[in-house]
Amino acid sequence: MTIDRKLQESIVNVPPIGPIAAHPDVNEWFISEPHQIKCLLGHVVQFVFDGYIDDDRKADYHRALQNLIDLDSSVLAAVEPYVTQYCNETLDLYDDQDRPHVSIQQPSDVWKYVQFGTEVHISRRAHGDDEDGIYFSLECNCDWEPEHGLVLVLRDGLEVTKVGPYDGHLTNSDAYADPNLKNVIFKSFCA
């Protein structure tokens, strides 16, 4: 879909974050000003919207954004076991001489080796889901997996619903074409 040129040049107000404008690189996307997000330990990101302009239920985005803004860093603490498992499984694949220096004494140490991305992509799932939620996808760099990094996906701005290597999918169910993985946060690749 190509967005009308006049709309591309306009600025759209999105409660609760304010104005978004046409993304400079992708015609169908819109991008916000930078925002500091407390659930990401105060990291500053821009929101990139995919599908918002043509969506008939924009209030879903507004509600999810407010949820995310209100969320604290306990959301990261809740997924530390999954991120640590992803880290450890990846480190086990290295030869000793190539293994990155990552030392996790307690689960919260894992965040020392993660560099949060600068853009949070916001969209609905391509094939929808039961509740047709709003998904926030943040690509991060991590010291243990320089090629595929780490993705954190939050559903409706309430909780992290997927962690693992970035694969372009919002759920493990979509990534593996398996509806049984609907509620799986991290899909082990060693099992």
Side-chain angles (χ1 to χ4, degrees):
M1 170 184 302
T2 304
I3 294 179
D4 179 272
R5 185 84 175 147
K6 193 170 196 126
L7 178 59
Q8 268 188 327
E9 295 168 0
S10 68
I11 294 178
V12 177
N13 188 50
V14 177
I17 62 165
I20 61 173
H23 193 283
D25 300 324
V26 181
N27 285 341
E28 293 81 20
W29 293 356
F30 279 70
I31 190 165
S32 75
E33 294 295 319
H35 293 273
Q36 188 174 29
I37 305 300
K38 65 183 171 183
C39 74
L40 298 176
L41 309 174
H43 188 70
V44 175
V45 299
Q46 289 180 278
F47 295 105
V48 176
F49 292 79
D50 182 4
Y52 174 81
I53 297 300
D54 293 325
D55 199 303
D56 293 335
R57 298 184 330 231
K58 290 179 177 57
D60 293 352
Y61 288 83
H62 307 163
R63 192 171 24 262
L65 279 161
Q66 188 63 59
N67 291 340
L68 185 70
I69 289 167
D70 293 342
L71 201 58
D72 65 27
S73 62
S74 65
V75 71
L76 294 181
V79 296
E80 286 169 357
Y82 302 106
V83 178
T84 300
Q85 181 182 357
Y86 168 46
C87 174
N88 288 333
E89 286 187 14
T90 304
L91 290 172
D92 287 345
L93 299 174
Y94 283 94
D95 294 329
D96 287 342
Q97 71 271 13
D98 297 328
R99 183 183 167 107
H101 179 68
V102 175
S103 176
I104 300 173
Q105 303 302 314
Q106 57 190 19
S108 62
D109 289 347
V110 75
W111 302 114
K112 291 189 240 178
Y113 304 100
V114 173
Q115 302 83 47
F116 293 114
T118 58
E119 294 183 346
V120 174
H121 289 256
I122 306 172
S123 64
R124 294 188 189 273
R125 279 177 62 204
H127 303 292
D129 58 23
D130 296 342
E131 297 84 24
D132 206 16
I134 303 298
Y135 289 83
F136 297 84
S137 179
L138 175 64
E139 293 178 46
C140 307
N141 290 323
C142 60
D143 294 354
W144 64 86
E145 178 37 296
E147 185 176 348
H148 298 104
L150 166 71
V151 68
L152 299 171
V153 178
L154 293 93
R155 186 169 186 278
D156 291 328
L158 295 170
E159 62 183 338
V160 176
T161 55
K162 181 183 179 199
V163 301
Y166 178 74
D167 60 12
H169 296 284
L170 296 173
T171 67
N172 280 307
S173 178
D174 292 342
Y176 295 93
D178 183 350
N180 295 320
L181 299 176
K182 178 180 178 181
N183 296 314
V184 172
I185 296 172
F186 173 68
K187 169 80 168 77
S188 173
F189 43 86
C190 291

